[in-house]
Amino acid sequence: MNWLPRLGEELQDRIRIGETVYIITSFSMRSGVELLKSSLRFAAEQGADIKILTGDYLYITQPEALNSLLSKHPSIEVRLWKSKGVSFHPKAYLV
């Protein structure tokens, strides 16, 4: 899967220059937060409007990932979709 590294690099680059960053994902994991953390922090320091929505569907989201997202910058808004067993599997990055 050669496209995965390019997706991560492209997201990092776009987030760093974005004025608005909206991320909606089914799950949040430490590895993904680690990949984007410096870009998110940089964009937030530049005044970008950053909102992240992730879910608890299938209990895959890692609490450590949420805590890490919340600690990146006080202006980054992070919300958790409580699925109550309903399928929640989006993947959208709007920059």
Side-chain angles (χ1 to χ4, degrees):
M1 292 212 255
N2 294 335
W3 59 269
L4 282 175
R6 291 194 316 255
L7 174 62
E9 292 169 8
E10 190 70 27
L11 276 174
Q12 291 172 51
D13 292 344
R14 299 293 175 158
I15 288 170
R16 290 181 75 77
I17 62 171
E19 294 177 13
T20 303
V21 179
Y22 296 157
I23 299 174
I24 304 170
T25 60
S26 315
F27 322 115
S28 290
M29 301 183 74
R30 288 181 309 233
S31 58
V33 173
E34 190 67 27
L35 179 69
L36 300 179
K37 73 178 184 181
S38 65
S39 297
L40 288 168
R41 184 180 300 118
F42 181 83
E45 289 171 351
Q46 304 308 307
D49 177 30
I50 303 173
K51 293 179 174 54
I52 301 170
L53 174 63
T54 191
D56 68 353
Y57 182 58
L58 299 178
Y59 306 105
I60 294 174
T61 289
Q62 297 172 322
E64 302 86 3
L66 294 176
N67 287 332
S68 183
L69 280 172
L70 289 167
S71 69
K72 292 302 156 228
H73 195 276
S75 70
I76 297 175
E77 183 178 332
V78 180
R79 293 190 180 204
L80 179 67
W81 173 264
K82 296 180 183 177
S83 65
K84 299 179 184 167
V86 175
S87 178
F88 182 77
H89 209 260
K91 294 162 209 67
Y93 308 92
L94 306 172
V95 182

